[in-house]
PDB file of all heavy atoms in Angstrom:
ATOM      1  N   SER A   1       0.838  -1.195   0.000  1.00 71.00           N
ATOM      2  CA  SER A   1       0.000   0.000   0.000  1.00 71.00           C
ATOM      3  C   SER A   1       0.874   1.247   0.000  1.00 71.00           C
ATOM      4  O   SER A   1       1.974   1.256   0.543  1.00 71.00           O
ATOM      5  CB  SER A   1      -0.942   0.021   1.205  1.00 71.00           C
ATOM      6  OG  SER A   1      -0.229   0.178   2.402  1.00 71.00           O
ATOM      7  N   ILE A   2       0.352   2.287  -0.639  1.00 74.00           N
ATOM      8  CA  ILE A   2       1.044   3.567  -0.715  1.00 74.00           C
ATOM      9  C   ILE A   2       0.145   4.605  -0.060  1.00 74.00           C
ATOM     10  O   ILE A   2      -0.971   4.836  -0.537  1.00 74.00           O
ATOM     11  CB  ILE A   2       1.308   3.956  -2.186  1.00 74.00           C
ATOM     12  CG1 ILE A   2       2.081   2.841  -2.897  1.00 74.00           C
ATOM     13  CG2 ILE A   2       2.027   5.289  -2.273  1.00 74.00           C
ATOM     14  CD1 ILE A   2       2.049   2.939  -4.400  1.00 74.00           C
ATOM     15  N   PRO A   3       0.578   5.229   1.044  1.00 72.00           N
ATOM     16  CA  PRO A   3      -0.297   6.219   1.697  1.00 72.00           C
ATOM     17  C   PRO A   3      -0.448   7.476   0.851  1.00 72.00           C
ATOM     18  O   PRO A   3       0.481   7.898   0.170  1.00 72.00           O
ATOM     19  CB  PRO A   3       0.417   6.520   3.018  1.00 72.00           C
ATOM     20  CG  PRO A   3       1.821   6.080   2.820  1.00 72.00           C
ATOM     21  CD  PRO A   3       1.826   5.031   1.751  1.00 72.00           C
ATOM     22  N   ASN A   4      -1.654   8.062   0.874  1.00 71.00           N
ATOM     23  CA  ASN A   4      -1.901   9.314   0.178  1.00 71.00           C
ATOM     24  C   ASN A   4      -1.342  10.468   0.996  1.00 71.00           C
ATOM     25  O   ASN A   4      -1.316  10.423   2.225  1.00 71.00           O
ATOM     26  CB  ASN A   4      -3.402   9.533  -0.036  1.00 71.00           C
ATOM     27  CG  ASN A   4      -3.956   8.619  -1.098  1.00 71.00           C
ATOM     28  OD1 ASN A   4      -3.203   8.016  -1.855  1.00 71.00           O
ATOM     29  ND2 ASN A   4      -5.257   8.506  -1.148  1.00 71.00           N
ATOM     30  N   LYS A   5      -0.897  11.511   0.306  1.00 66.00           N
ATOM     31  CA  LYS A   5      -0.331  12.671   1.001  1.00 66.00           C
ATOM     32  C   LYS A   5      -1.411  13.463   1.743  1.00 66.00           C
ATOM     33  O   LYS A   5      -1.242  13.865   2.857  1.00 66.00           O
ATOM     34  CB  LYS A   5       0.364  13.597  -0.010  1.00 66.00           C
ATOM     35  CG  LYS A   5       1.482  12.917  -0.756  1.00 66.00           C
ATOM     36  CD  LYS A   5       2.663  12.654   0.132  1.00 66.00           C
ATOM     37  CE  LYS A   5       3.799  12.084  -0.678  1.00 66.00           C
ATOM     38  NZ  LYS A   5       4.505  11.031  -0.050  1.00 66.00           N
ATOM     39  N   LYS A   6      -2.556  13.667   1.068  1.00 59.00           N
ATOM     40  CA  LYS A   6      -3.616  14.462   1.648  1.00 59.00           C
ATOM     41  C   LYS A   6      -4.765  13.545   2.045  1.00 59.00           C
ATOM     42  O   LYS A   6      -5.314  12.833   1.217  1.00 59.00           O
ATOM     43  CB  LYS A   6      -4.109  15.488   0.627  1.00 59.00           C
ATOM     44  CG  LYS A   6      -5.199  16.385   1.126  1.00 59.00           C
ATOM     45  CD  LYS A   6      -5.608  17.354   0.039  1.00 59.00           C
ATOM     46  CE  LYS A   6      -6.772  18.192   0.480  1.00 59.00           C
ATOM     47  NZ  LYS A   6      -7.281  19.010  -0.604  1.00 59.00           N
ATOM     48  N   ILE A   7      -5.119  13.547   3.324  1.00 52.00           N
ATOM     49  CA  ILE A   7      -6.206  12.712   3.810  1.00 52.00           C
ATOM     50  C   ILE A   7      -7.352  13.620   4.221  1.00 52.00           C
ATOM     51  O   ILE A   7      -7.194  14.509   5.056  1.00 52.00           O
ATOM     52  CB  ILE A   7      -5.746  11.850   5.011  1.00 52.00           C
ATOM     53  CG1 ILE A   7      -4.628  10.916   4.584  1.00 52.00           C
ATOM     54  CG2 ILE A   7      -6.921  11.084   5.599  1.00 52.00           C
ATOM     55  CD1 ILE A   7      -4.009  10.141   5.713  1.00 52.00           C
ATOM     56  N   GLU A   8      -8.500  13.391   3.601  1.00 51.00           N
ATOM     57  CA  GLU A   8      -9.682  14.159   3.946  1.00 51.00           C
ATOM     58  C   GLU A   8     -10.599  13.308   4.791  1.00 51.00           C
ATOM     59  O   GLU A   8     -10.814  12.142   4.507  1.00 51.00           O
ATOM     60  CB  GLU A   8     -10.419  14.598   2.675  1.00 51.00           C
ATOM     61  CG  GLU A   8      -9.624  15.551   1.824  1.00 51.00           C
ATOM     62  CD  GLU A   8     -10.392  15.958   0.577  1.00 51.00           C
ATOM     63  OE1 GLU A   8     -11.603  15.718   0.522  1.00 51.00           O
ATOM     64  OE2 GLU A   8      -9.766  16.509  -0.324  1.00 51.00           O
ATOM     65  N   ASP A   9     -11.186  13.915   5.837  1.00 52.00           N
ATOM     66  CA  ASP A   9     -12.137  13.218   6.666  1.00 52.00           C
ATOM     67  C   ASP A   9     -13.513  13.371   6.031  1.00 52.00           C
ATOM     68  O   ASP A   9     -14.032  14.477   5.939  1.00 52.00           O
ATOM     69  CB  ASP A   9     -12.132  13.805   8.081  1.00 52.00           C
ATOM     70  CG  ASP A   9     -12.943  12.967   9.057  1.00 52.00           C
ATOM     71  OD1 ASP A   9     -13.305  11.827   8.682  1.00 52.00           O
ATOM     72  OD2 ASP A   9     -13.224  13.446  10.162  1.00 52.00           O
ATOM     73  N   PRO A  10     -14.127  12.264   5.538  1.00 51.00           N
ATOM     74  CA  PRO A  10     -15.399  12.388   4.847  1.00 51.00           C
ATOM     75  C   PRO A  10     -16.555  12.745   5.768  1.00 51.00           C
ATOM     76  O   PRO A  10     -17.596  13.196   5.320  1.00 51.00           O
ATOM     77  CB  PRO A  10     -15.601  11.002   4.236  1.00 51.00           C
ATOM     78  CG  PRO A  10     -14.849  10.094   5.122  1.00 51.00           C
ATOM     79  CD  PRO A  10     -13.679  10.896   5.621  1.00 51.00           C
ATOM     80  N   VAL A  11     -16.392  12.559   7.058  1.00 52.00           N
ATOM     81  CA  VAL A  11     -17.451  12.848   8.015  1.00 52.00           C
ATOM     82  C   VAL A  11     -16.996  14.015   8.885  1.00 52.00           C
ATOM     83  O   VAL A  11     -15.892  14.020   9.412  1.00 52.00           O
ATOM     84  CB  VAL A  11     -17.730  11.600   8.889  1.00 52.00           C
ATOM     85  CG1 VAL A  11     -18.831  11.892   9.878  1.00 52.00           C
ATOM     86  CG2 VAL A  11     -18.079  10.423   8.017  1.00 52.00           C
ATOM     87  N   ALA A  12     -17.856  14.997   9.051  1.00 45.00           N
ATOM     88  CA  ALA A  12     -17.472  16.189   9.805  1.00 45.00           C
ATOM     89  C   ALA A  12     -17.305  15.881  11.286  1.00 45.00           C
ATOM     90  O   ALA A  12     -16.490  16.479  11.968  1.00 45.00           O
ATOM     91  CB  ALA A  12     -18.510  17.285   9.614  1.00 45.00           C
ATOM     92  N   GLY A  13     -18.086  14.961  11.820  1.00 48.00           N
ATOM     93  CA  GLY A  13     -18.012  14.645  13.243  1.00 48.00           C
ATOM     94  C   GLY A  13     -16.799  13.819  13.581  1.00 48.00           C
ATOM     95  O   GLY A  13     -16.314  13.029  12.780  1.00 48.00           O
ATOM     96  N   LYS A  14     -16.281  14.000  14.755  1.00 52.00           N
ATOM     97  CA  LYS A  14     -15.128  13.237  15.220  1.00 52.00           C
ATOM     98  C   LYS A  14     -15.594  12.163  16.196  1.00 52.00           C
ATOM     99  O   LYS A  14     -16.558  12.353  16.931  1.00 52.00           O
ATOM    100  CB  LYS A  14     -14.127  14.151  15.936  1.00 52.00           C
ATOM    101  CG  LYS A  14     -13.569  15.240  15.065  1.00 52.00           C
ATOM    102  CD  LYS A  14     -12.437  14.727  14.259  1.00 52.00           C
ATOM    103  CE  LYS A  14     -11.782  15.873  13.543  1.00 52.00           C
ATOM    104  NZ  LYS A  14     -11.167  15.507  12.334  1.00 52.00           N
ATOM    105  N   VAL A  15     -14.882  11.054  16.231  1.00 55.00           N
ATOM    106  CA  VAL A  15     -15.171  10.000  17.184  1.00 55.00           C
ATOM    107  C   VAL A  15     -14.349  10.285  18.433  1.00 55.00           C
ATOM    108  O   VAL A  15     -13.132  10.395  18.373  1.00 55.00           O
ATOM    109  CB  VAL A  15     -14.800   8.622  16.591  1.00 55.00           C
ATOM    110  CG1 VAL A  15     -15.068   7.521  17.591  1.00 55.00           C
ATOM    111  CG2 VAL A  15     -15.578   8.397  15.317  1.00 55.00           C
ATOM    112  N   ASN A  16     -15.012  10.405  19.575  1.00 55.00           N
ATOM    113  CA  ASN A  16     -14.318  10.789  20.796  1.00 55.00           C
ATOM    114  C   ASN A  16     -14.396   9.725  21.881  1.00 55.00           C
ATOM    115  O   ASN A  16     -14.375  10.040  23.058  1.00 55.00           O
ATOM    116  CB  ASN A  16     -14.893  12.102  21.341  1.00 55.00           C
ATOM    117  CG  ASN A  16     -14.543  13.280  20.462  1.00 55.00           C
ATOM    118  OD1 ASN A  16     -13.446  13.322  19.905  1.00 55.00           O
ATOM    119  ND2 ASN A  16     -15.454  14.216  20.314  1.00 55.00           N
ATOM    120  N   THR A  17     -14.486   8.464  21.518  1.00 56.00           N
ATOM    121  CA  THR A  17     -14.502   7.430  22.542  1.00 56.00           C
ATOM    122  C   THR A  17     -13.083   7.181  23.029  1.00 56.00           C
ATOM    123  O   THR A  17     -12.116   7.359  22.296  1.00 56.00           O
ATOM    124  CB  THR A  17     -15.105   6.122  21.992  1.00 56.00           C
ATOM    125  OG1 THR A  17     -14.319   5.694  20.898  1.00 56.00           O
ATOM    126  CG2 THR A  17     -16.546   6.317  21.565  1.00 56.00           C
ATOM    127  N   SER A  18     -12.957   6.747  24.253  1.00 53.00           N
ATOM    128  CA  SER A  18     -11.625   6.576  24.839  1.00 53.00           C
ATOM    129  C   SER A  18     -10.843   5.457  24.160  1.00 53.00           C
ATOM    130  O   SER A  18      -9.625   5.496  24.094  1.00 53.00           O
ATOM    131  CB  SER A  18     -11.735   6.300  26.333  1.00 53.00           C
ATOM    132  OG  SER A  18     -12.444   5.092  26.540  1.00 53.00           O
ATOM    133  N   SER A  19     -11.539   4.449  23.638  1.00 54.00           N
ATOM    134  CA  SER A  19     -10.820   3.343  22.994  1.00 54.00           C
ATOM    135  C   SER A  19     -10.185   3.763  21.681  1.00 54.00           C
ATOM    136  O   SER A  19      -9.252   3.127  21.209  1.00 54.00           O
ATOM    137  CB  SER A  19     -11.761   2.170  22.763  1.00 54.00           C
ATOM    138  OG  SER A  19     -12.788   2.552  21.884  1.00 54.00           O
ATOM    139  N   LEU A  20     -10.678   4.835  21.069  1.00 52.00           N
ATOM    140  CA  LEU A  20     -10.144   5.290  19.790  1.00 52.00           C
ATOM    141  C   LEU A  20      -9.299   6.560  19.918  1.00 52.00           C
ATOM    142  O   LEU A  20      -8.837   7.095  18.929  1.00 52.00           O
ATOM    143  CB  LEU A  20     -11.285   5.559  18.806  1.00 52.00           C
ATOM    144  CG  LEU A  20     -12.171   4.361  18.487  1.00 52.00           C
ATOM    145  CD1 LEU A  20     -13.333   4.792  17.627  1.00 52.00           C
ATOM    146  CD2 LEU A  20     -11.380   3.280  17.809  1.00 52.00           C
ATOM    147  N   ALA A  21      -9.105   7.049  21.122  1.00 50.00           N
ATOM    148  CA  ALA A  21      -8.415   8.319  21.318  1.00 50.00           C
ATOM    149  C   ALA A  21      -6.943   8.266  20.946  1.00 50.00           C
ATOM    150  O   ALA A  21      -6.378   9.262  20.516  1.00 50.00           O
ATOM    151  CB  ALA A  21      -8.564   8.777  22.765  1.00 50.00           C
ATOM    152  N   THR A  22      -6.295   7.113  21.083  1.00 50.00           N
ATOM    153  CA  THR A  22      -4.851   7.052  20.851  1.00 50.00           C
ATOM    154  C   THR A  22      -4.471   6.466  19.501  1.00 50.00           C
ATOM    155  O   THR A  22      -3.373   6.684  19.028  1.00 50.00           O
ATOM    156  CB  THR A  22      -4.169   6.206  21.945  1.00 50.00           C
ATOM    157  OG1 THR A  22      -4.749   4.907  21.916  1.00 50.00           O
ATOM    158  CG2 THR A  22      -4.355   6.842  23.305  1.00 50.00           C
ATOM    159  N   THR A  23      -5.350   5.734  18.854  1.00 49.00           N
ATOM    160  CA  THR A  23      -4.986   5.064  17.603  1.00 49.00           C
ATOM    161  C   THR A  23      -5.639   5.748  16.418  1.00 49.00           C
ATOM    162  O   THR A  23      -6.590   5.243  15.852  1.00 49.00           O
ATOM    163  CB  THR A  23      -5.390   3.583  17.636  1.00 49.00           C
ATOM    164  OG1 THR A  23      -6.806   3.522  17.834  1.00 49.00           O
ATOM    165  CG2 THR A  23      -4.695   2.837  18.742  1.00 49.00           C
ATOM    166  N   ARG A  24      -5.145   6.887  16.027  1.00 49.00           N
ATOM    167  CA  ARG A  24      -5.707   7.641  14.909  1.00 49.00           C
ATOM    168  C   ARG A  24      -5.357   7.041  13.551  1.00 49.00           C
ATOM    169  O   ARG A  24      -6.085   7.210  12.597  1.00 49.00           O
ATOM    170  CB  ARG A  24      -5.218   9.098  14.953  1.00 49.00           C
ATOM    171  CG  ARG A  24      -5.953   9.921  15.959  1.00 49.00           C
ATOM    172  CD  ARG A  24      -7.331  10.230  15.454  1.00 49.00           C
ATOM    173  NE  ARG A  24      -8.091  10.910  16.474  1.00 49.00           N
ATOM    174  CZ  ARG A  24      -9.380  10.791  16.639  1.00 49.00           C
ATOM    175  NH1 ARG A  24     -10.073  10.001  15.862  1.00 49.00           N
ATOM    176  NH2 ARG A  24     -10.012  11.445  17.587  1.00 49.00           N
ATOM    177  N   GLN A  25      -4.238   6.327  13.433  1.00 50.00           N
ATOM    178  CA  GLN A  25      -3.828   5.822  12.138  1.00 50.00           C
ATOM    179  C   GLN A  25      -4.669   4.627  11.686  1.00 50.00           C
ATOM    180  O   GLN A  25      -4.700   4.308  10.517  1.00 50.00           O
ATOM    181  CB  GLN A  25      -2.339   5.455  12.124  1.00 50.00           C
ATOM    182  CG  GLN A  25      -1.974   4.244  12.947  1.00 50.00           C
ATOM    183  CD  GLN A  25      -1.679   4.578  14.385  1.00 50.00           C
ATOM    184  OE1 GLN A  25      -2.023   5.642  14.874  1.00 50.00           O
ATOM    185  NE2 GLN A  25      -1.040   3.661  15.085  1.00 50.00           N
ATOM    186  N   HIS A  26      -5.370   3.951  12.584  1.00 54.00           N
ATOM    187  CA  HIS A  26      -6.126   2.765  12.214  1.00 54.00           C
ATOM    188  C   HIS A  26      -7.622   3.045  12.117  1.00 54.00           C
ATOM    189  O   HIS A  26      -8.418   2.117  12.118  1.00 54.00           O
ATOM    190  CB  HIS A  26      -5.873   1.641  13.221  1.00 54.00           C
ATOM    191  CG  HIS A  26      -4.432   1.239  13.284  1.00 54.00           C
ATOM    192  ND1 HIS A  26      -3.781   0.643  12.226  1.00 54.00           N
ATOM    193  CD2 HIS A  26      -3.514   1.364  14.262  1.00 54.00           C
ATOM    194  CE1 HIS A  26      -2.530   0.397  12.560  1.00 54.00           C
ATOM    195  NE2 HIS A  26      -2.339   0.831  13.780  1.00 54.00           N
ATOM    196  N   LEU A  27      -8.030   4.307  12.044  1.00 63.00           N
ATOM    197  CA  LEU A  27      -9.446   4.634  12.011  1.00 63.00           C
ATOM    198  C   LEU A  27     -10.049   4.502  10.621  1.00 63.00           C
ATOM    199  O   LEU A  27     -11.256   4.546  10.484  1.00 63.00           O
ATOM    200  CB  LEU A  27      -9.678   6.058  12.531  1.00 63.00           C
ATOM    201  CG  LEU A  27      -9.421   6.266  14.012  1.00 63.00           C
ATOM    202  CD1 LEU A  27      -9.731   7.691  14.399  1.00 63.00           C
ATOM    203  CD2 LEU A  27     -10.254   5.311  14.836  1.00 63.00           C
ATOM    204  N   SER A  28      -9.232   4.402   9.602  1.00 70.00           N
ATOM    205  CA  SER A  28      -9.771   4.285   8.260  1.00 70.00           C
ATOM    206  C   SER A  28      -8.890   3.364   7.451  1.00 70.00           C
ATOM    207  O   SER A  28      -7.729   3.147   7.773  1.00 70.00           O
ATOM    208  CB  SER A  28      -9.837   5.658   7.600  1.00 70.00           C
ATOM    209  OG  SER A  28      -8.545   6.199   7.469  1.00 70.00           O
ATOM    210  N   GLY A  29      -9.468   2.824   6.410  1.00 84.00           N
ATOM    211  CA  GLY A  29      -8.679   1.990   5.523  1.00 84.00           C
ATOM    212  C   GLY A  29      -9.399   0.723   5.131  1.00 84.00           C
ATOM    213  O   GLY A  29     -10.446   0.375   5.676  1.00 84.00           O
ATOM    214  N   PHE A  30      -8.819   0.057   4.155  1.00 90.00           N
ATOM    215  CA  PHE A  30      -9.360  -1.182   3.635  1.00 90.00           C
ATOM    216  C   PHE A  30      -8.316  -2.277   3.749  1.00 90.00           C
ATOM    217  O   PHE A  30      -7.125  -2.006   3.741  1.00 90.00           O
ATOM    218  CB  PHE A  30      -9.721  -1.014   2.150  1.00 90.00           C
ATOM    219  CG  PHE A  30     -10.954  -0.189   1.906  1.00 90.00           C
ATOM    220  CD1 PHE A  30     -10.861   1.167   1.663  1.00 90.00           C
ATOM    221  CD2 PHE A  30     -12.203  -0.778   1.895  1.00 90.00           C
ATOM    222  CE1 PHE A  30     -11.992   1.924   1.420  1.00 90.00           C
ATOM    223  CE2 PHE A  30     -13.345  -0.038   1.644  1.00 90.00           C
ATOM    224  CZ  PHE A  30     -13.237   1.320   1.411  1.00 90.00           C
ATOM    225  N   HIS A  31      -8.782  -3.512   3.849  1.00 91.00           N
ATOM    226  CA  HIS A  31      -7.912  -4.691   3.788  1.00 91.00           C
ATOM    227  C   HIS A  31      -8.371  -5.559   2.631  1.00 91.00           C
ATOM    228  O   HIS A  31      -9.574  -5.724   2.414  1.00 91.00           O
ATOM    229  CB  HIS A  31      -7.977  -5.506   5.077  1.00 91.00           C
ATOM    230  CG  HIS A  31      -7.157  -4.956   6.193  1.00 91.00           C
ATOM    231  ND1 HIS A  31      -5.789  -4.832   6.120  1.00 91.00           N
ATOM    232  CD2 HIS A  31      -7.505  -4.500   7.415  1.00 91.00           C
ATOM    233  CE1 HIS A  31      -5.343  -4.320   7.253  1.00 91.00           C
ATOM    234  NE2 HIS A  31      -6.361  -4.108   8.049  1.00 91.00           N
ATOM    235  N   LEU A  32      -7.407  -6.111   1.907  1.00 92.00           N
ATOM    236  CA  LEU A  32      -7.701  -7.035   0.812  1.00 92.00           C
ATOM    237  C   LEU A  32      -7.594  -8.470   1.322  1.00 92.00           C
ATOM    238  O   LEU A  32      -6.622  -8.827   1.973  1.00 92.00           O
ATOM    239  CB  LEU A  32      -6.703  -6.835  -0.331  1.00 92.00           C
ATOM    240  CG  LEU A  32      -6.934  -5.621  -1.201  1.00 92.00           C
ATOM    241  CD1 LEU A  32      -5.724  -5.346  -2.067  1.00 92.00           C
ATOM    242  CD2 LEU A  32      -8.161  -5.810  -2.058  1.00 92.00           C
TER     243      LEU A  32
END
């Protein structure tokens, strides 16, 4: 995989749960 330079958040709202507060890099993406 090649990461894109510019990442846009398609949803305006942010997820603020404590389980997701530290792992921002794994919040989006696909697996083959």
